[in-house]
Amino acid sequence: MASRPPWVATAEGTAAAFLGFFRDRGHHVLPGESLVRPPDDPVLFTTSGMHPLTPYLTGRPHPLGVRLADVQRCLRTTDLDEVGDDNHLTAFQMLGSWSLGDYGGERSLLWGYDLLVDGYGIAPGRLHATVFGGDGQVGEDVVALRTWERLGVPVERTTGDNWWSNGPTGPCGPDSEIFVWTGDGPPTGSPASDPRWWEVWNHVTMRYRRHEDGSLTELSRGSVDTGMGLERLVTVLEGVRSVYDSEVFADWRRLLPSGWTDGETSWRIVADHLRSAVVLVGDGVRPAAGGQGYVLRRLLRRALTLLWRVDPGRSLDGLPLPLVTGTLRRFGLPEQGCERVAEVLPAEERRFAVLLERGRRVLRQPRFARPPTEEDYAYLHDTHGLPRDLVDQLRREGGAPGEVPGTGRRSAGDPR
Ligand code: SER
């Protein structure tokens, strides 16, 4: 059985090993890009390593060659409801490798197996794979299926899953997902039946382009796009229960006391959201009523709501500096960003406190004893600056004085 090399104990060492492995196999290492996508991108944030590489996956030659690798900071709001479980994060780092019309899916999977087993020391018996089983448009991924069978890794064909795209149109193709067993005893069941199988790495053969009408055409050259979640990988290698118990969150565990929240799930959500907010501000995002800034605002408001449930006086002014600098560093952002974080987070907190106070006052009016109509929402928004989600939150959480989180914190006339 393979043993775990000592350097995998940190996310930094784990990422360096990934990049070294692919560099040794002729890949050029790219710097990661911003989380913020340009205005012509229909998606607000970089959601995967391949996202900034989309033009090159559809045929444009890349100036640095046909084999690439990187570590890319990503942000996904689609998983927001799952944050708080053992392995979903809003902001995370993705380890990625690409073959732009060079080697194919089999080569990629064989290297993937080598890196996981020989490089990271994961016992082969802890691996499981899934492959695209075919649908009305594209046949099953025979190459991936045969590769896993040859390696002796249990593999399942799926129908609905195992197809990857970064939106309704654009490059896409069948993917093969690699799972690692995280349970205490020997592996049981399969990824479909047991959540202790964690998906860590996804290998996509980008062979198609999806058009507006849903049809597919073959790309002039097929590519391979792989992505592995760094935080999940570190957790698996450490053998701990959740990403929040891994080295990645060690500083957060130490410096964000558990007593600041009312339980483990709340703590995880607060840590995740504040960490994501730090990365967003570090990447230049400011709270706003729309776009990227609105996502930042919502993350901060959710974190504050949970913090104020325990202590209405808790302030983001008190967020320990090492959490901010450490997070910026891990995500490849300049540490000078901590000054901006120190301005933006408390300013947004004050704004939220004022809004909550106003919302509480307004919602006490008799006309809001019943569920608001569309007209009410428009009035609350236009006249009192209360967005719909905040109105709903206040109503859900009581709406009465003293029951609304954070409302006891400061008076509306004291925005500091
Ligand atoms: N694009 C794929 C993913 O995000 C593999 O990189 O999972």
Side-chain angles (χ1 to χ4, degrees):
M1 185 169 122
S3 63
R4 187 184 314 151
W7 42 257
V8 299
T10 64
E12 207 182 343
T14 304
F18 179 90
L19 296 178
F21 180 91
F22 282 100
R23 198 185 280 116
D24 289 349
R25 286 155 186 78
H27 293 65
H28 188 97
V29 173
L30 303 172
E33 292 205 11
S34 168
L35 269 186
V36 180
R37 301 303 303 153
D40 61 346
D41 194 318
V43 181
L44 292 176
F45 299 107
T46 304
T47 54
S48 67
M50 65 73 71
H51 195 160
L53 294 172
T54 304
Y56 308 104
L57 288 161
T58 45
R60 189 193 296 175
H62 196 285
L64 296 171
V66 293
R67 295 184 181 195
L68 306 171
D70 73 13
V71 183
Q72 174 63 53
R73 50 185 178 274
C74 300
L75 190 130
R76 288 188 184 175
T77 50
T78 42
D79 292 338
L80 223 46
D81 289 341
E82 287 168 281
V83 167
D85 72 2
D86 286 340
N87 57 20
H88 284 91
L89 294 168
T90 309
F92 62 97
Q93 306 241 65
M94 188 178 277
L95 306 167
S97 64
W98 295 275
S99 154
L100 303 178
D102 187 23
Y103 58 83
E106 180 185 5
R107 177 75 274 156
S108 183
L109 292 176
L110 291 172
W111 277 339
Y113 180 88
D114 282 354
L115 178 57
L116 292 177
V117 173
D118 297 331
Y120 291 125
I122 296 175
R126 287 176 67 201
L127 297 179
H128 205 300
T130 56
V131 298
F132 181 67
D135 61 15
Q137 284 177 295
V138 177
E140 77 172 0
D141 189 349
V142 181
V143 172
L145 186 67
R146 297 278 173 270
T147 306
W148 291 122
E149 284 172 350
R150 244 186 25 252
L151 287 166
V153 172
V155 54
E156 272 179 332
R157 298 176 182 84
T158 67
T159 40
D161 299 332
N162 290 91
W163 183 269
W164 206 87
S165 65
N166 196 33
T169 59
C172 55
D175 66 350
S176 181
E177 296 171 0
I178 307 176
F179 295 78
V180 178
W181 176 251
T182 64
D184 289 333
T188 54
S190 71
S193 63
D194 195 322
R196 289 175 295 176
W197 286 104
W198 281 21
E199 183 196 338
V200 293
W201 203 350
N202 188 11
H203 291 232
V204 186
T205 12
M206 293 276 185
R207 285 192 272 131
Y208 302 93
R209 183 202 293 271
R210 172 95 55 199
H211 301 273
E212 302 264 340
D213 64 0
S215 64
L216 291 177
T217 48
E218 284 213 33
L219 292 166
S220 56
R221 57 159 168 74
S223 293
V224 179
D225 150 48
T226 87
M228 176 150 63
L230 177 61
E231 292 85 351
R232 279 192 196 181
L233 177 62
V234 170
T235 306
V236 162
L237 296 177
E238 275 189 60
V240 288
R241 181 68 59 214
S242 82
V243 288
Y244 301 96
D245 297 308
S246 75
E247 180 269 341
V248 174
F249 277 89
D251 285 346
W252 288 87
R253 282 284 185 209
R254 203 162 42 82
L255 297 169
L256 184 75
S258 57
W260 283 19
T261 55
D262 60 4
E264 173 66 10
T265 304
S266 300
W267 186 92
R268 290 178 177 190
I269 294 171
V270 169
D272 169 87
H273 285 16
L274 292 181
R275 178 175 175 264
S276 305
V278 168
V279 184
L280 282 171
V281 175
D283 242 338
V285 180
R286 297 286 173 275
Q292 284 105 348
Y294 189 57
V295 173
L296 171 60
R297 175 162 283 167
R298 292 201 63 177
L299 289 169
L300 285 171
R301 287 182 177 180
R302 190 161 177 225
L304 285 164
T305 300
L306 290 169
L307 289 170
W308 288 345
R309 211 145 78 180
V310 173
D311 177 1
R314 179 76 55 213
S315 169
L316 295 179
D317 268 330
L319 194 65
L321 190 64
L323 286 184
V324 179
T325 51
T327 298
L328 292 170
R329 191 175 55 247
R330 278 178 186 269
F331 279 87
L333 287 158
E335 288 185 28
Q336 295 90 299
C338 69
E339 282 165 29
R340 259 173 302 152
V341 174
E343 283 164 28
V344 171
L345 265 53
E348 182 60 14
E349 167 193 316
R350 288 192 286 275
R351 190 188 152 85
F352 185 40
V354 169
L355 258 187
L356 282 175
E357 189 67 32
R358 187 185 309 152
R360 181 187 64 156
R361 237 186 12 249
V362 173
L363 290 178
R364 272 205 318 244
Q365 293 171 15
R367 67 181 274 200
F368 298 116
R370 51 169 177 70
T373 61
E374 286 306 314
E375 208 181 307
D376 291 332
Y377 278 121
Y379 162 80
L380 290 166
H381 182 270
D382 298 344
T383 312
H384 296 285
L386 296 167
R388 186 184 191 108
D389 60 340
L390 189 65
V391 172
D392 291 342
Q393 179 192 322
L394 287 167
R395 288 182 51 77
R396 260 197 319 273
E397 291 167 4
E403 289 175 26
V404 179
T407 51
R409 197 165 173 277
R410 292 190 195 108
S411 77
D414 175 28
R416 283 203 287 178

